[in-house]
């Protein structure tokens, strides 16, 4: 843990709602005049898009959720290095041609030759100098494996996280969102997406789900409409058709003021001593009310360190 160089990790699978959390943090960083080193989880995949397709064609359970397709040791090294020195090594995964053109030109301006295209990675480079916080968003911000396997185990990314945020919908809602997104944005058939869900299920259970027991705060969206069969549903429940359960691992750690939150968020209520439930449409508001004082305190402690 680091007071001088804090590490924040937002963890959630694709379509879980991490974009809403990222937006809330962007608003906070802007108001508090905080400069952040932003790290995308995809940049720590261990294989290019072509290599992934090749391996997944012959390895039944090969998935982006597991250690075989990622470099968790490099992610751990970045978090550790940033916490100790305020810097470390990162790179970018190029999702499309536009990103490839942007980063090739950016690196060329720095005198670095890069020929990577869509589906490839940029070269490793030092993080930006003199930043206040490292902000990670991706699948594996709190992964941990202490088996000692030097290639695919023996890492503890969670150990170096100062604030861990989990974003996870109920599993049926997560599947509905993925099936819908993959069809609309990528042209995949529902059957193809279900095959992907089944292929990566072992890694989901082993490497994704356990992270939400290591987070400091979890945001879980639960629909209030019938999602009994996510494989035939075609409409994603709207925010107004859901509640968000916000669970604090230790409310005392961040001096959570539940009476204040209940007064500020209409129709919210406590479900347990460490959990507050808010309407789905108030999710971003709740995030900002909860996270702003935590980030402010982090920066104050950083100044004193």
């Amino acid at each position: 843990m680091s007071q001088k160089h804090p590490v924040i990790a937002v963890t959630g699978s694709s379509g879980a709602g991490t974009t809403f959390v990222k937006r809330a943090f962007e608003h906070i960083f802007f108001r508090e005049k905080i400069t952040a080193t932003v790290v995308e989880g995809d940049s720590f995949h261990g294989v290019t898009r072509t290599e992934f397709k090749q391996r997944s064609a012959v390895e039944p359970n090969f998935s982006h959720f597991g250690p075989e397709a990622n470099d968790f040791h490099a992610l751990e090294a970045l978090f550790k290095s940033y916490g100790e020195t305020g810097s470390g090594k990162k790179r970018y995964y190029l999702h499309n041609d536009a990103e490839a053109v942007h980063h090739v030109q950016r690196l060329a301006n720095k005198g670095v030759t890069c020929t990577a295209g869509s589906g490839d990675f940029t070269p490793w480079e030092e993080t930006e100098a003199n930043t206040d916080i490292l902000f990670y968003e991706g699948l594996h911000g709190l992964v941990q494996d202490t088996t000692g396997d030097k290639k695919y185990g023996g890492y503890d990314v969670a150990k170096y996280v100062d604030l861990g945020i989990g974003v996870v919908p109920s599993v049926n809602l997560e599947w509905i969102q993925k099936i819908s997104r993959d069809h609309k944005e990528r042209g995949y058939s529902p059957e193809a997406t279900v095959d992907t869900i089944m292929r990566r299920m072992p890694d989901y259970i082993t490497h994704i789900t356990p992270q939400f027991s290591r987070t400091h705060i979890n945001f879980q969206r639960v629909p209030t409409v019938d999602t009994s069969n996510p494989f035939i549903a075609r409409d994603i429940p709207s925010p107004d058709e859901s509640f968000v359960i916000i669970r604090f691992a230790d409310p005392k750690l961040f001096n959570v003021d539940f009476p204040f939150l209940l007064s500020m968020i209409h129709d919210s209520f406590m479900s347990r001593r460490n959990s507050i439930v808010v309407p789905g449409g108030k999710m971003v508001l709740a995030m900002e009310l909860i996270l702003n004082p935590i980030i402010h305190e982090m920066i104050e402690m950083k100044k004193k360190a």
Side-chain angles (χ1 to χ4, degrees), residues 61 63 197-208:
N61 293 321
S63 82
I197 291 171
M198 295 302 295
R199 185 181 72 245
R200 63 188 192 179
M201 186 56 66
D203 283 333
Y204 183 87
I205 294 170
T206 304
H207 302 288
I208 301 297

Side-chain angles (χ1 to χ4, degrees), residues 46-47 55 59 62 66-74 76 145 147-155:
V47 292
R55 291 190 60 178
E59 300 178 42
F62 187 73
E68 292 84 358
N70 292 280
D71 191 345
F72 294 152
H73 293 101
E76 177 189 35
D145 184 298
T147 60
D149 184 313
K150 291 184 179 180
K151 188 174 183 181
Y152 295 130
Y155 49 82

Side-chain angles (χ1 to χ4, degrees), residues 7 22 28 35 43 75 93 95 100-102 104-105 107 129-130 133 159 174 185 203 205 210 223 241 248 255 272 304:
V7 173
K22 185 176 181 181
I28 294 169
T35 304
S43 63
L75 182 59
Y93 175 75
H95 296 88
V101 170
H102 168 74
V104 167
Q105 184 60 55
L107 290 167
N130 302 316
I133 277 174
K159 179 180 178 180
E174 180 175 349
E185 297 181 11
D203 283 333
I205 294 170
E241 295 175 319
F248 300 85
N255 297 314
R272 288 191 174 181
K304 297 174 183 178

Side-chain angles (χ1 to χ4, degrees), residues 2-71:
S2 172
Q3 290 186 0
K4 192 171 183 180
H5 307 292
V7 173
I8 299 173
V10 176
T11 293
S13 56
S14 301
T18 54
T19 300
F20 290 108
V21 187
K22 185 176 181 181
R23 188 180 306 156
F25 272 105
E26 287 173 347
H27 292 167
I28 294 169
F29 292 160
F30 177 78
R31 286 196 300 268
E32 296 287 328
K33 296 180 173 59
I34 294 170
T35 304
T37 288
V38 179
V39 176
E40 299 176 353
D42 288 355
S43 63
F44 285 87
H45 287 332
V47 292
T48 64
R49 184 179 297 152
T50 298
E51 291 168 342
F52 180 83
K53 290 180 179 179
Q54 291 171 344
R55 291 190 60 178
S56 60
V58 296
E59 300 178 42
N61 293 321
F62 187 73
S63 82
H64 279 132
F65 282 1
E68 292 84 358
N70 292 280
D71 191 345

Side-chain angles (χ1 to χ4, degrees), residues 69-269:
N70 292 280
D71 191 345
F72 294 152
H73 293 101
L75 182 59
E76 177 189 35
L78 170 61
F79 283 11
K80 182 176 186 294
S81 176
Y82 189 90
E84 293 173 350
T85 69
S87 65
K89 296 285 187 180
K90 75 171 187 177
R91 64 180 178 180
Y92 294 90
Y93 175 75
L94 306 175
H95 296 88
N96 51 54
D97 291 337
E99 288 186 10
V101 170
H102 168 74
H103 283 289
V104 167
Q105 184 60 55
R106 178 183 64 83
L107 290 167
N109 293 339
K110 297 171 65 174
V112 177
T113 300
C114 175
T115 58
S118 179
D120 297 330
F121 301 96
T122 63
W124 292 100
E125 56 188 300
E126 287 291 329
T127 57
E128 302 87 339
N130 302 316
T131 56
D132 300 307
I133 277 174
L134 185 148
F135 178 81
Y136 167 96
E137 180 203 357
L139 295 169
H140 301 109
L142 291 105
V143 287
Q144 181 184 82
D145 184 298
T146 55
T147 60
D149 184 313
K150 291 184 179 180
K151 188 174 183 181
Y152 295 130
Y155 49 82
D156 190 350
V157 176
K159 179 180 178 180
Y160 303 101
V161 174
D162 297 282
L163 175 61
I165 307 292
V167 187
V168 55
S170 63
V171 68
N172 279 20
L173 176 57
E174 180 175 349
W175 290 343
I176 290 172
Q177 290 180 155
K178 178 167 179 58
I179 292 169
S180 176
R181 188 200 63 176
D182 282 3
H183 177 66
K184 292 179 180 177
E185 297 181 11
R186 302 177 181 178
Y188 295 167
S189 68
E191 293 75 18
T193 301
V194 171
D195 286 342
T196 298
I197 291 171
M198 295 302 295
R199 185 181 72 245
R200 63 188 192 179
M201 186 56 66
D203 283 333
Y204 183 87
I205 294 170
T206 304
H207 302 288
I208 301 297
T209 304
Q211 295 181 95
F212 303 115
S213 295
R214 305 180 193 122
T215 49
H216 297 98
I217 308 171
N218 281 339
F219 294 87
Q220 182 178 32
R221 189 156 78 94
V222 179
T224 56
V225 295
D226 184 15
T227 59
S228 302
N229 187 346
F231 304 114
I232 64 170
R234 293 295 175 264
D235 295 323
I236 300 175
S238 69
D240 290 334
E241 295 175 319
S242 61
F243 282 102
V244 178
I245 302 167
I246 307 169
R247 189 273 297 174
F248 300 85
D250 181 3
K252 294 181 181 179
L253 182 63
F254 299 117
N255 297 314
V256 181
D257 189 343
F258 285 115
F260 169 74
L261 295 175
L262 291 170
S263 69
M264 292 296 292
I265 306 171
H266 187 61
D267 290 332
S268 61
F269 60 92

